C-alpha cells in the first residue's frame, strides 16, 4: 500500500491504452518530409534493371527516374539522392565519366531538375567509385593506394559539373581528408554559393554495403578500409564531425544508420546543423529477405526501423523505402 492507493501506484500503461492515446503522447514523430529517396540511373538501358539483392529497387532509365522523382514528390518526400551507373567501357583509372558534363549523373540531374524544379531537393553522390575501373573512391598512386590529395582535385571538378547541371546538394562520400573544404571552395569559385554540402561525416567500412555494390555495378578490387572508418571507433567520428563543420558542411550524415545508432545519437547531440542518416542497402535487404520468408511483418518492420533512426537523432533519413513509407505515413 502507499498514499496513492493500492499497489502499483504508478501505472504508465494508462498512456498506452488506445491508438489515439499512443499517438498523442508519442515522443518521436516520423513524417514524409523526413525522408530522402536514393535512386540509381544506369546508362545505356531501355528498361529498368531489377537489383537482385534489393527486391523492389531498380537501376532506372532516364525516363523511369523522372517518374520516380515525381512519385516521391507527390508522396511528400523531401529529396532524392542520385547515383549514376555508367557503361563499363567508360570506366577508367581517373573516373573521367564522373566529371563529363554529359556523363550519366549530370544528365540525370538535369532530367530531374527539368521534371520537378525546386519542389524536390535534388542531391547527388559526389564520389568516383562508380566511374573508376578499380572501383575505389579515388585515384590511385604508383603503389596502388588511394591518393588523397589527387582525389580531392577530382572531387572539385565533380562538384562543379554537378552544380552546373542544377543540383541543390552535393554529397561527398569518399571519406577523403579535406574533401568538404575543397568542394566548398570549388563551388564558391564558380559562383555556386547556394549549393549545399551534405557531408558523409561518419561513413563506416561496413559489411552491409554488399547489395549497393550490385546496384552501382561496382568494379571494386580490395577494400576501402584505409579511408572508410573502422566500425570499432566512435571518437574518430566526432573528430571527423569537427573537421567537416570547420570546412563548411551544411549538413552531416552517419552511414550506415541501424548498426550505428549510438554514433548517430552522439553526432546529433553535438551539432546545431541538420543531421542525416543513411539506411543502406544491407539494412533494406535484411528486412525484405526476412519478410519474404514470413519471419517478420514487413510493413511494421519498415516503419519501426525508420522510427528508431529518427529517435536516435536523424532529421533526415535516406532510405530505399522513402516513397512507399511516405505514402503509408500519409494514410495512417
Amino acid at each position: 500500500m502507499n498514499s496513492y492507493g493500492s499497489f502499483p501506484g504508478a501505472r504508465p500503461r494508462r498512456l498506452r491504452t488506445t491508438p489515439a492515446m499512443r499517438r498523442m503522447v508519442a515522443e518521436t514523430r516520423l513524417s514524409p518530409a523526413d525522408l530522402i529517396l536514393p535512386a540509381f540511373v544506369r546508362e545505356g538501358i531501355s528498361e529498368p534493371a531489377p537489383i537482385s539483392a534489393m527486391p523492389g529497387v531498380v537501376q532506372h532509365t532516364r525516363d523511369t527516374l523522372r517518374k520516380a522523382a515525381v512519385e516521391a514528390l507527390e508522396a511528400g518526400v523531401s529529396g532524392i539522392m542520385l547515383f549514376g551507373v555508367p557503361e563499363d567501357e567508360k570506366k577508367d583509372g581517373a573516373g573521367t565519366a564522373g566529371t563529363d558534363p554529359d556523363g550519366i549523373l549530370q544528365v540525370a540531374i538535369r532530367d530531374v531538375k527539368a521534371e520537378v524544379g525546386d519542389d524536390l531537393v535534388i542531391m547527388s553522390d559526389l564520389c568516383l567509385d562508380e566511374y573508376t575501373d578499380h572501383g575505389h573512391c579515388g585515384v590511385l598512386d604508383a603503389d596502388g593506394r588511394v591518393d588523397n590529395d589527387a582525389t580531392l582535385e577530382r572531387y572539385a571538378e565533380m562538384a562543379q559539373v554537378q552544380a552546373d547541371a542544377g543540383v541543390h546538394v552535393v554529397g561527398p562520400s569518399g571519406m577523403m581528408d579535406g574533401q568538404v573544404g575543397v568542394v566548398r571552395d570549388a563551388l564558391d569559385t564558380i559562383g555556386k554559393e547556394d549549393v549545399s554540402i551534405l557531408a558523409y561525416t561518419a561513413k563506416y567500412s561496413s559489411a552491409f554495403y554488399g547489395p549497393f555494390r550490385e546496384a552501382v555495378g561496382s568494379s571494386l578490387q580490395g577494400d576501402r578500409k584505409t579511408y572508410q572508418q573502422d566500425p570499432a571507433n566512435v571518437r574518430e567520428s566526432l573528430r571527423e564531425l569537427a573537421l567537416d563543420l570547420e570546412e563548411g558542411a551544411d549538413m552531416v550524415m552517419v552511414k550506415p544508420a541501424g548498426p550505428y545508432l549510438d554514433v548517430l545519437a552522439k553526432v546529433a547531440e553535438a551539432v546545431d546543423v541538420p543531421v542525416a542518416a543513411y539506411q543502406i542497402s544491407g539494412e533494406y535487404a535484411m528486412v525484405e529477405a526476412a519478410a519474404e520468408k514470413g519471419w517478420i511483418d514487413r510493413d511494421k518492420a519498415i516503419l519501426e526501423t525508420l522510427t528508431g533512426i529518427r529517435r536516435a537523432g536523424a532529421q533526415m533519413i535516406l532510405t530505399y523505402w522513402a516513397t512507399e513509407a511516405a505514402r503509408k505515413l500519409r494514410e495512417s
Side-chain angles (χ1 to χ4, degrees):
M1 297 290 291
N2 58 45
S3 60
Y4 299 104
S6 60
F7 179 85
R11 295 186 181 272
R13 286 183 56 192
R14 294 184 185 119
L15 301 183
R16 305 171 196 155
T17 52
T18 66
M21 178 68 79
R22 293 190 293 273
R23 185 170 62 248
M24 183 179 73
V25 302
E27 299 172 29
T28 302
R29 299 188 188 279
L30 186 67
S31 74
D34 300 330
L35 306 178
I36 297 166
L37 176 69
F40 308 101
V41 56
R42 179 176 168 183
E43 190 171 26
I45 59 174
S46 57
E47 297 291 336
I51 300 167
S52 63
M54 300 175 69
V57 180
V58 301
Q59 294 172 323
H60 285 286
T61 68
R62 289 175 60 187
D63 285 340
T64 63
L65 177 65
R66 286 192 286 260
K67 180 180 178 183
V70 171
E71 290 175 347
L73 174 61
E74 292 174 344
V77 170
S78 285
I80 186 168
M81 173 66 82
L82 302 179
F83 295 85
V85 184
E87 295 173 311
D88 285 343
E89 57 269 25
K90 292 186 179 179
K91 296 182 179 183
D92 59 25
T96 53
T99 51
D100 180 354
D102 295 318
I104 183 59
L105 182 53
Q106 285 67 253
V107 169
I109 292 169
R110 290 195 291 269
D111 285 344
V112 174
K113 188 66 175 290
E115 194 72 34
V116 299
D118 295 332
D119 293 337
L120 187 69
V121 178
I122 303 169
M123 305 177 168
S124 55
D125 180 56
L126 199 164
C127 196
L128 290 172
D129 59 318
E130 296 98 326
Y131 310 99
T132 54
D133 53 13
H134 47 73
H136 280 286
C137 296
V139 296
L140 305 183
D141 62 17
D143 296 319
R145 298 173 299 190
V146 175
D147 186 323
N148 191 93
D149 295 0
T151 297
L152 294 181
E153 295 179 15
R154 300 289 296 123
Y155 286 2
E157 295 177 51
M158 291 190 79
Q160 291 177 341
V161 296
Q162 291 176 6
D164 284 338
V167 79
H168 298 112
V169 179
V170 294
S173 61
M175 291 300 289
M176 297 297 122
D177 294 338
Q179 63 185 12
V180 172
V182 165
V183 167
R184 185 71 271 159
D185 286 346
L187 293 169
D188 293 352
T189 296
I190 62 169
K192 297 295 184 180
E193 295 91 350
D194 288 344
V195 174
S196 300
I197 298 176
L198 170 58
Y200 281 60
T201 292
K203 184 178 180 182
Y204 284 87
S205 179
S206 172
F208 293 96
Y209 294 131
F212 181 89
R213 305 274 162 81
E214 177 190 348
V216 296
S218 175
S219 304
L220 181 63
Q221 302 166 24
D223 59 49
R224 296 176 174 147
K225 292 182 179 180
T226 64
Y227 45 102
Q228 293 179 351
Q229 285 183 239
D230 185 339
N233 295 349
V234 178
R235 289 194 301 272
E236 183 180 29
S237 292
L238 299 180
R239 185 183 183 199
E240 293 277 7
L241 174 64
L243 291 168
D244 283 350
L245 294 174
E246 181 180 344
E247 293 173 25
D250 299 289
M251 300 170 277
V252 297
M253 184 195 293
V254 174
K255 180 181 182 181
Y260 297 91
L261 294 180
D262 60 325
V263 179
L264 174 59
K266 287 181 181 294
V267 168
E269 289 173 1
V271 301
D272 57 4
V273 299
V275 176
Y278 197 144
Q279 186 180 54
I280 66 170
S281 59
E283 298 175 72
Y284 175 95
M286 286 193 301
V287 171
E288 291 288 352
E292 184 180 2
K293 290 284 190 179
W295 293 339
I296 61 173
D297 184 310
R298 177 183 179 275
D299 291 355
K300 291 180 179 178
I302 290 170
L303 293 180
E304 184 175 338
T305 59
L306 293 173
T307 300
I309 297 166
R310 183 74 178 85
R311 187 184 64 243
Q315 295 162 268
M316 303 170 291
I317 305 172
L318 287 83
T319 175
Y320 300 99
W321 289 304
T323 301
E324 177 185 353
R327 289 171 176 159
K328 292 183 186 301
L329 290 167
R330 283 189 157 184
E331 294 168 358
S332 63

